[in-house]
Amino acid sequence: DQQVKQNSPSLSVQEGRISILNCDYTNSMFDYFLWYKKYPAEGPTFLISISSIKDKNEDGRFTVFLNKSAKHLSLHIVPSQPGDSAVYFCAASGRDSNSGYALNFGKGTSLLVTP
Amino acid sequence: GAVVSQHPSRVICKSGTSVKIECRSLDFQATTMFWYRQFPKKSLMLMATSNEGSKATYEQGVEKDKFLINHASLTLSTLTVTSAHPEDSSFYICSATRGAGYGYTFGSGTRLTVV
């Protein structure tokens, strides 16, 4: 049962514009959310996180917004650069996980930033 | 800081043989390590959680006799794929954490091909 959902498998954005990647979750016990970036044949690299006590966290070009009532979060990349082209995974964790604080991942969104 | 080394990065083995994948935390003590498997176009699926010195907790559907996990020290966890078959071919990724609130660090992954 997919508890973290990224409904857009791919997204194409022009360089310099904003990329918005969306993520929905179903488990109300999740209290920590992360975004990872992944290049082919590599492990995911951490981008940015947000805890459930906040609704926004910003780090340079990357901003994550959390809407707890809607169980929705989004990652904004402004301005988008060709090097941002990768697969972005949304992940969530919470105390009720049978596996401690293991991450629940979405299926990923493949972002392509075109020059 | 917080570096996780995963080895080997690629391995090709014959059907019926066993393969061991190592995951090491280089500069921190990992109380918990996680093993994930990624299928093409799918999310990272948690296979098991291992805490140092205790038996791993396997997710539903993961055969513990086939995927042997050992977490003998605070810096090393191993995943052994026993009697590998072509359907075990996949990308395996480990991650490690010091504990709740410390975040997760991922290894670079291992591409296993069983021929």
Side-chain angles (χ1 to χ4, degrees), chain A residues 2 34 36 38 41-44 89 93 98-99 101-103 105-107, chain B residues 34 36 38 42-44 46 49 57 59 91 93 100 104 106-109:
Chain A
Q2 195 81 18
L34 311 90
Y36 285 86
K38 185 180 182 300
E42 293 183 9
F89 285 99
S93 72
N98 290 330
S99 301
Y101 288 84
L103 294 173
F105 283 90
K107 290 188 176 182
Chain B
F34 306 93
Y36 296 87
Q38 184 181 27
K42 293 194 177 183
S43 53
L44 293 166
L46 178 67
T49 302
T57 301
E59 295 299 299
F91 193 61
I93 304 174
Y104 304 84
F106 283 85
S108 55

Side-chain angles (χ1 to χ4, degrees), chain A residues 13-82:
Chain A
V13 171
Q14 204 167 14
E15 181 179 7
R17 297 196 170 237
I18 184 172
S19 296
I20 300 177
L21 297 99
N22 293 303
C23 178
D24 298 291
Y25 60 96
T26 58
N27 191 335
S28 58
M29 295 300 290
F30 288 150
D31 58 6
Y32 191 59
F33 306 89
L34 311 90
W35 284 94
Y36 285 86
K37 178 179 178 180
K38 185 180 182 300
Y39 294 110
E42 293 183 9
T45 54
F46 171 75
L47 261 182
I48 192 168
S49 64
I50 188 167
S51 78
S52 58
I53 62 172
K54 290 186 167 185
D55 54 18
K56 177 183 175 182
N57 189 23
E58 191 173 350
D59 184 3
R61 296 186 297 114
F62 302 92
T63 303
V64 57
F65 295 92
L66 175 63
N67 183 334
K68 290 185 288 294
S69 60
K71 293 192 181 70
H72 176 85
L73 64 154
S74 61
L75 173 68
H76 293 211
I77 306 174
V78 180
S80 302
Q81 299 173 355

Side-chain angles (χ1 to χ4, degrees), chain B residues 14-28:
Chain B
K14 290 186 177 180
S15 189
T17 61
S18 295
V19 173
K20 181 185 281 189
I21 303 170
E22 291 189 349
C23 182
R24 291 180 186 273
S25 56
L26 298 185
D27 53 0
F28 67 100

